[in-house]
Amino acid sequence: MRRRALLSLLAGAGVAGVAGCLGDGSAPAETTETTAGAADESTETASATASSGTGSESGSGAGDLPLVVDTVDAQGSSAGEVRIPAEGTPTVLDLFATWCAPCVAQMESLRALHDEFGDDVAFVSVTNERLGGGLTMDDVRDWWAEHDGNWTVGHDPDSNLMRAVRANGLPYLVVFDADGEATWTHRGLASEENLRAAVEDVA
């Protein structure tokens, strides 16, 4: 009986791990499978949960955009600050963590779309990981280079950005139009096809 329960638990964790991770690193997120089709629709919204207004609900910080995030000196990125969403430019925001396996898989479609739309759309990936306890900024840089990131990468250890877009798992994607309005959001691994359609809508 114990063996069956353990196998069931491990199988469930594996499926959830492919779909997404919790933002605090404690366990995989509970998400639906995110293969192309109906499952993607359950986590995408045409009127996004993020808002460019100044209002927030119950002090959660939701809607506190735009925000300025510190950027990292890494491949394709320089140290400084970035405004999210970018002013007057469509923006793809990717929230990730170095410990999150689906975030690695998401990098493949982000790279392809950055190569295609990078001249017209701002791409920004941001981690909320806290440094210390064995994690250094060099570790973040190494992860970024290992997975061929070649656009702006930011660091938001206070998770202000995650709260602002109401992200409840990783990876978490938000596409903003040139006016700074969120037009599409997705929790978990998004298909390249669906992400491309969202980017094409604002590019």
Side-chain angles (χ1 to χ4, degrees):
M1 182 69 170
R2 265 194 215 154
R3 182 170 178 256
R4 225 179 301 168
L6 179 60
L7 289 174
S8 174
L9 176 65
L10 290 174
V15 169
V18 169
C21 306
L22 285 179
D24 63 2
S26 59
E30 293 177 17
T31 63
T32 56
E33 207 171 86
T34 55
T35 54
D40 273 337
E41 292 168 8
S42 70
T43 54
E44 297 164 8
T45 58
S47 60
T49 56
S51 164
S52 295
T54 55
S56 62
E57 296 177 11
S58 308
S60 67
D64 295 335
L65 294 175
L67 282 177
V68 174
V69 173
D70 290 334
T71 56
V72 178
D73 180 18
Q75 180 174 287
S77 179
S78 57
E81 294 179 334
V82 64
R83 178 188 187 270
I84 300 171
E87 190 167 8
T89 304
T91 305
V92 174
L93 170 64
D94 159 52
L95 299 176
F96 78 98
T98 60
W99 49 261
C100 171
C103 297
V104 173
Q106 193 68 73
M107 289 293 285
E108 185 174 341
S109 57
L110 286 167
R111 281 192 309 271
L113 293 172
H114 178 260
D115 288 347
E116 188 173 342
F117 295 99
D119 291 338
D120 303 311
V121 176
F123 282 71
V124 184
S125 292
V126 178
T127 180
N128 70 333
E129 293 173 277
R130 292 179 181 266
L131 303 180
L135 181 73
T136 68
M137 189 54 74
D138 283 339
D139 294 327
V140 174
R141 288 187 191 97
D142 291 346
W143 185 94
W144 190 246
E146 180 182 345
H147 301 294
D148 298 323
N150 196 29
W151 55 90
T152 302
V153 60
H155 185 224
D156 179 32
D158 294 326
S159 299
N160 294 325
L161 191 54
M162 285 193 75
R163 282 191 296 275
V165 299
R166 298 181 187 148
N168 56 359
L170 297 174
Y172 195 87
L173 298 165
V174 185
V175 175
F176 298 92
D177 65 18
D179 295 324
E181 294 295 323
T183 59
W184 184 88
T185 65
H186 186 93
R187 181 182 79 158
L189 181 59
S191 69
E192 184 174 330
E193 177 186 2
N194 288 342
L195 180 54
R196 178 186 302 281
V199 173
E200 286 173 343
D201 282 346
V202 300

